[in-house]
Amino acid sequence: MHALMLAAKGITQHIAPTDLVTRGGLDIVALLILVGWLYRRRPSAPAMPLVLVALNVGLFAAMSTISAGKFPAGVGFGLFGILSLVRLRSAAFTLRDVAYTFVTLVIALCTGLPHRDNWLVIMSGAVVLVAFLLVDDPRAYEPPTRTVKLTLDRVYDDPSLIAQDVAFRFGRAPLAVEVDEVDYVRETTRVSACYPAAPGEPVAQDTEPREPVAVV
């Protein structure tokens, strides 16, 4: 019992409840602006808001707990080691999602450290949010699309015929057609046709360089 009282006293000496509540409130406000408004201004992966909130709240809780007592330096390095294991492996996650994930972690780090001037935390968060407001303009992006992969049973001498053949098979012309592979042994052509995405459909972005084919 005496040991528990000493531990509680040590925690209160390192972190005040009012300071924790203030920093938690700043983190929630910044998270609502970042995820609830800025990120939702254009279509994205449906699961990403949950991922961003979980990473932010988890890191804030870890930073507050570590700062509340005497922890060795290895604990801090272990925390960053755990964060390095986080990977966005789904094809629906884009570079924009990675940028928002990084900023979400930065906000949690800024608000999770105790005994920092509130004006400095507020200014740091405001600068990040304003930067995303100016840079991530939803009007600068094209409408979301979906990719359909096809294997055609012939080799084309004229690349423009590929788009025509795909349009004939699907009944409508694609926005773009990209050649993935041409197999002269089997006489097949693998292509990726791009069509407008349906409302609410997750958008996948493939960054692998391919040969573009104009739609005629």
Side-chain angles (χ1 to χ4, degrees), residues 6 27 29 36 53 57 62 64 74 91 103 123 140 149 154 161-162 174 178 196 212:
L6 291 178
D27 182 70
V29 172
V53 172
V57 174
S64 299
V103 173
M123 289 298 298
K149 295 185 178 295
R154 57 173 295 191
L161 298 177
I162 301 177
E178 298 176 346

PDB file of all heavy atoms in Angstrom, residues 6 27 29 36 53 57 62 64 74 91 103 123 140 149 154 161-162 174 178 196 212:
ATOM      1  N   LEU A   6       3.481   5.889  -2.921  1.00  0.00           N
ATOM      2  CA  LEU A   6       4.692   6.543  -3.420  1.00  0.00           C
ATOM      3  C   LEU A   6       4.683   6.634  -4.936  1.00  0.00           C
ATOM      4  O   LEU A   6       5.104   7.635  -5.524  1.00  0.00           O
ATOM      5  CB  LEU A   6       5.930   5.777  -2.944  1.00  0.00           C
ATOM      6  CG  LEU A   6       6.245   5.847  -1.446  1.00  0.00           C
ATOM      7  CD1 LEU A   6       7.463   4.994  -1.120  1.00  0.00           C
ATOM      8  CD2 LEU A   6       6.471   7.299  -1.020  1.00  0.00           C
ATOM      9  N   ASP A  27      -5.484  17.824 -28.322  1.00  0.00           N
ATOM     10  CA  ASP A  27      -5.315  16.715 -29.259  1.00  0.00           C
ATOM     11  C   ASP A  27      -6.642  16.347 -29.918  1.00  0.00           C
ATOM     12  O   ASP A  27      -6.692  16.097 -31.125  1.00  0.00           O
ATOM     13  CB  ASP A  27      -4.734  15.505 -28.525  1.00  0.00           C
ATOM     14  CG  ASP A  27      -4.492  14.335 -29.454  1.00  0.00           C
ATOM     15  OD1 ASP A  27      -3.569  14.423 -30.288  1.00  0.00           O
ATOM     16  OD2 ASP A  27      -5.219  13.329 -29.351  1.00  0.00           O
ATOM     17  N   VAL A  29      -9.302  18.309 -30.377  1.00  0.00           N
ATOM     18  CA  VAL A  29      -9.709  19.375 -31.297  1.00  0.00           C
ATOM     19  C   VAL A  29      -8.930  19.287 -32.606  1.00  0.00           C
ATOM     20  O   VAL A  29      -9.504  19.383 -33.703  1.00  0.00           O
ATOM     21  CB  VAL A  29      -9.513  20.750 -30.632  1.00  0.00           C
ATOM     22  CG1 VAL A  29      -9.733  21.870 -31.646  1.00  0.00           C
ATOM     23  CG2 VAL A  29     -10.476  20.911 -29.461  1.00  0.00           C
ATOM     24  N   GLY A  36     -11.947  14.818 -39.111  1.00  0.00           N
ATOM     25  CA  GLY A  36     -13.371  15.060 -39.302  1.00  0.00           C
ATOM     26  C   GLY A  36     -13.696  16.036 -40.399  1.00  0.00           C
ATOM     27  O   GLY A  36     -14.811  15.991 -40.957  1.00  0.00           O
ATOM     28  N   VAL A  53      -7.518   7.793 -36.134  1.00  0.00           N
ATOM     29  CA  VAL A  53      -7.921   8.038 -34.746  1.00  0.00           C
ATOM     30  C   VAL A  53      -7.228   7.052 -33.811  1.00  0.00           C
ATOM     31  O   VAL A  53      -6.746   7.424 -32.725  1.00  0.00           O
ATOM     32  CB  VAL A  53      -9.452   7.939 -34.608  1.00  0.00           C
ATOM     33  CG1 VAL A  53      -9.863   7.987 -33.141  1.00  0.00           C
ATOM     34  CG2 VAL A  53     -10.123   9.059 -35.384  1.00  0.00           C
ATOM     35  N   VAL A  57      -4.789   8.403 -30.809  1.00  0.00           N
ATOM     36  CA  VAL A  57      -5.152   8.177 -29.410  1.00  0.00           C
ATOM     37  C   VAL A  57      -4.169   7.221 -28.741  1.00  0.00           C
ATOM     38  O   VAL A  57      -3.771   7.425 -27.576  1.00  0.00           O
ATOM     39  CB  VAL A  57      -6.590   7.631 -29.330  1.00  0.00           C
ATOM     40  CG1 VAL A  57      -6.941   7.254 -27.895  1.00  0.00           C
ATOM     41  CG2 VAL A  57      -7.582   8.661 -29.859  1.00  0.00           C
ATOM     42  N   ALA A  62       0.272   6.516 -24.903  1.00  0.00           N
ATOM     43  CA  ALA A  62       1.603   5.988 -24.612  1.00  0.00           C
ATOM     44  C   ALA A  62       2.551   7.092 -24.153  1.00  0.00           C
ATOM     45  O   ALA A  62       3.306   6.918 -23.187  1.00  0.00           O
ATOM     46  CB  ALA A  62       2.160   5.284 -25.849  1.00  0.00           C
ATOM     47  N   SER A  64       1.751   9.981 -22.774  1.00  0.00           N
ATOM     48  CA  SER A  64       1.342  10.477 -21.457  1.00  0.00           C
ATOM     49  C   SER A  64       1.752   9.501 -20.355  1.00  0.00           C
ATOM     50  O   SER A  64       2.182   9.910 -19.273  1.00  0.00           O
ATOM     51  CB  SER A  64      -0.177  10.689 -21.437  1.00  0.00           C
ATOM     52  OG  SER A  64      -0.566  11.641 -22.406  1.00  0.00           O
ATOM     53  N   GLY A  74      15.406   3.219 -22.963  1.00  0.00           N
ATOM     54  CA  GLY A  74      15.060   2.121 -23.853  1.00  0.00           C
ATOM     55  C   GLY A  74      13.580   2.011 -24.110  1.00  0.00           C
ATOM     56  O   GLY A  74      13.166   1.515 -25.166  1.00  0.00           O
ATOM     57  N   ALA A  91      -4.071  -1.850 -50.807  1.00  0.00           N
ATOM     58  CA  ALA A  91      -3.932  -1.125 -52.074  1.00  0.00           C
ATOM     59  C   ALA A  91      -4.770   0.135 -52.102  1.00  0.00           C
ATOM     60  O   ALA A  91      -4.562   1.008 -52.930  1.00  0.00           O
ATOM     61  CB  ALA A  91      -4.340  -2.041 -53.236  1.00  0.00           C
ATOM     62  N   VAL A 103       1.060  13.086 -40.092  1.00  0.00           N
ATOM     63  CA  VAL A 103       0.659  14.283 -39.345  1.00  0.00           C
ATOM     64  C   VAL A 103      -0.126  13.901 -38.096  1.00  0.00           C
ATOM     65  O   VAL A 103      -0.013  14.546 -37.045  1.00  0.00           O
ATOM     66  CB  VAL A 103      -0.155  15.217 -40.256  1.00  0.00           C
ATOM     67  CG1 VAL A 103      -0.736  16.383 -39.467  1.00  0.00           C
ATOM     68  CG2 VAL A 103       0.723  15.750 -41.371  1.00  0.00           C
ATOM     69  N   MET A 123       0.204  26.633 -31.566  1.00  0.00           N
ATOM     70  CA  MET A 123       0.775  27.192 -32.782  1.00  0.00           C
ATOM     71  C   MET A 123       1.300  26.089 -33.704  1.00  0.00           C
ATOM     72  O   MET A 123       1.121  26.158 -34.923  1.00  0.00           O
ATOM     73  CB  MET A 123       1.898  28.167 -32.430  1.00  0.00           C
ATOM     74  CG  MET A 123       1.419  29.469 -31.814  1.00  0.00           C
ATOM     75  SD  MET A 123       0.349  30.402 -32.947  1.00  0.00           S
ATOM     76  CE  MET A 123       1.473  30.701 -34.302  1.00  0.00           C
ATOM     77  N   ALA A 140      -8.209  20.054 -56.777  1.00  0.00           N
ATOM     78  CA  ALA A 140      -7.027  19.802 -57.607  1.00  0.00           C
ATOM     79  C   ALA A 140      -6.908  18.343 -58.007  1.00  0.00           C
ATOM     80  O   ALA A 140      -5.967  17.987 -58.721  1.00  0.00           O
ATOM     81  CB  ALA A 140      -5.763  20.235 -56.866  1.00  0.00           C
ATOM     82  N   LYS A 149      -8.648  -5.266 -64.561  1.00  0.00           N
ATOM     83  CA  LYS A 149      -7.551  -5.971 -65.227  1.00  0.00           C
ATOM     84  C   LYS A 149      -8.128  -7.033 -66.164  1.00  0.00           C
ATOM     85  O   LYS A 149      -8.980  -7.825 -65.765  1.00  0.00           O
ATOM     86  CB  LYS A 149      -6.617  -6.603 -64.195  1.00  0.00           C
ATOM     87  CG  LYS A 149      -5.892  -5.570 -63.340  1.00  0.00           C
ATOM     88  CD  LYS A 149      -4.882  -6.219 -62.422  1.00  0.00           C
ATOM     89  CE  LYS A 149      -4.135  -5.184 -61.613  1.00  0.00           C
ATOM     90  NZ  LYS A 149      -3.302  -4.297 -62.463  1.00  0.00           N
ATOM     91  N   ARG A 154      -5.225 -11.940 -77.811  1.00  0.00           N
ATOM     92  CA  ARG A 154      -4.527 -11.603 -79.042  1.00  0.00           C
ATOM     93  C   ARG A 154      -3.444 -10.579 -78.756  1.00  0.00           C
ATOM     94  O   ARG A 154      -3.405  -9.966 -77.700  1.00  0.00           O
ATOM     95  CB  ARG A 154      -5.492 -11.061 -80.100  1.00  0.00           C
ATOM     96  CG  ARG A 154      -6.287  -9.844 -79.645  1.00  0.00           C
ATOM     97  CD  ARG A 154      -7.098  -9.223 -80.764  1.00  0.00           C
ATOM     98  NE  ARG A 154      -6.228  -8.688 -81.799  1.00  0.00           N
ATOM     99  CZ  ARG A 154      -6.671  -7.890 -82.796  1.00  0.00           C
ATOM    100  NH1 ARG A 154      -7.973  -7.632 -82.897  1.00  0.00           N
ATOM    101  NH2 ARG A 154      -5.846  -7.414 -83.676  1.00  0.00           N
ATOM    102  N   LEU A 161      -5.864   0.021 -80.999  1.00  0.00           N
ATOM    103  CA  LEU A 161      -6.898  -1.008 -81.121  1.00  0.00           C
ATOM    104  C   LEU A 161      -7.235  -1.648 -79.788  1.00  0.00           C
ATOM    105  O   LEU A 161      -8.324  -2.224 -79.633  1.00  0.00           O
ATOM    106  CB  LEU A 161      -6.438  -2.084 -82.114  1.00  0.00           C
ATOM    107  CG  LEU A 161      -6.192  -1.623 -83.556  1.00  0.00           C
ATOM    108  CD1 LEU A 161      -5.677  -2.777 -84.399  1.00  0.00           C
ATOM    109  CD2 LEU A 161      -7.475  -1.046 -84.146  1.00  0.00           C
ATOM    110  N   ILE A 162      -6.332  -1.558 -78.811  1.00  0.00           N
ATOM    111  CA  ILE A 162      -6.591  -2.157 -77.503  1.00  0.00           C
ATOM    112  C   ILE A 162      -7.763  -1.456 -76.830  1.00  0.00           C
ATOM    113  O   ILE A 162      -8.682  -2.105 -76.301  1.00  0.00           O
ATOM    114  CB  ILE A 162      -5.330  -2.091 -76.627  1.00  0.00           C
ATOM    115  CG1 ILE A 162      -4.171  -2.827 -77.299  1.00  0.00           C
ATOM    116  CG2 ILE A 162      -5.602  -2.657 -75.243  1.00  0.00           C
ATOM    117  CD1 ILE A 162      -2.877  -2.748 -76.523  1.00  0.00           C
ATOM    118  N   PRO A 174     -13.338   3.052 -71.976  1.00  0.00           N
ATOM    119  CA  PRO A 174     -12.651   3.354 -70.707  1.00  0.00           C
ATOM    120  C   PRO A 174     -12.025   4.736 -70.745  1.00  0.00           C
ATOM    121  O   PRO A 174     -11.815   5.331 -71.808  1.00  0.00           O
ATOM    122  CB  PRO A 174     -11.591   2.258 -70.626  1.00  0.00           C
ATOM    123  CG  PRO A 174     -11.289   1.939 -72.053  1.00  0.00           C
ATOM    124  CD  PRO A 174     -12.584   2.108 -72.808  1.00  0.00           C
ATOM    125  N   GLU A 178      -3.961   0.800 -69.909  1.00  0.00           N
ATOM    126  CA  GLU A 178      -2.528   0.642 -69.706  1.00  0.00           C
ATOM    127  C   GLU A 178      -2.128  -0.807 -69.966  1.00  0.00           C
ATOM    128  O   GLU A 178      -2.791  -1.742 -69.488  1.00  0.00           O
ATOM    129  CB  GLU A 178      -2.135   1.044 -68.285  1.00  0.00           C
ATOM    130  CG  GLU A 178      -2.432   2.503 -67.976  1.00  0.00           C
ATOM    131  CD  GLU A 178      -2.130   2.859 -66.544  1.00  0.00           C
ATOM    132  OE1 GLU A 178      -1.957   1.914 -65.742  1.00  0.00           O
ATOM    133  OE2 GLU A 178      -2.059   4.044 -66.225  1.00  0.00           O
ATOM    134  N   PRO A 196     -14.686   5.179 -64.352  1.00  0.00           N
ATOM    135  CA  PRO A 196     -15.114   5.992 -63.203  1.00  0.00           C
ATOM    136  C   PRO A 196     -15.602   5.105 -62.061  1.00  0.00           C
ATOM    137  O   PRO A 196     -16.299   4.117 -62.281  1.00  0.00           O
ATOM    138  CB  PRO A 196     -16.245   6.852 -63.777  1.00  0.00           C
ATOM    139  CG  PRO A 196     -16.014   6.858 -65.258  1.00  0.00           C
ATOM    140  CD  PRO A 196     -15.400   5.532 -65.589  1.00  0.00           C
ATOM    141  N   PRO A 212       1.202   3.978 -71.183  1.00  0.00           N
ATOM    142  CA  PRO A 212      -0.137   4.488 -71.430  1.00  0.00           C
ATOM    143  C   PRO A 212      -0.569   4.263 -72.860  1.00  0.00           C
ATOM    144  O   PRO A 212       0.232   4.290 -73.791  1.00  0.00           O
ATOM    145  CB  PRO A 212       0.002   5.988 -71.121  1.00  0.00           C
ATOM    146  CG  PRO A 212       1.453   6.287 -71.395  1.00  0.00           C
ATOM    147  CD  PRO A 212       2.220   5.026 -71.043  1.00  0.00           C
TER     148      PRO A 212
END
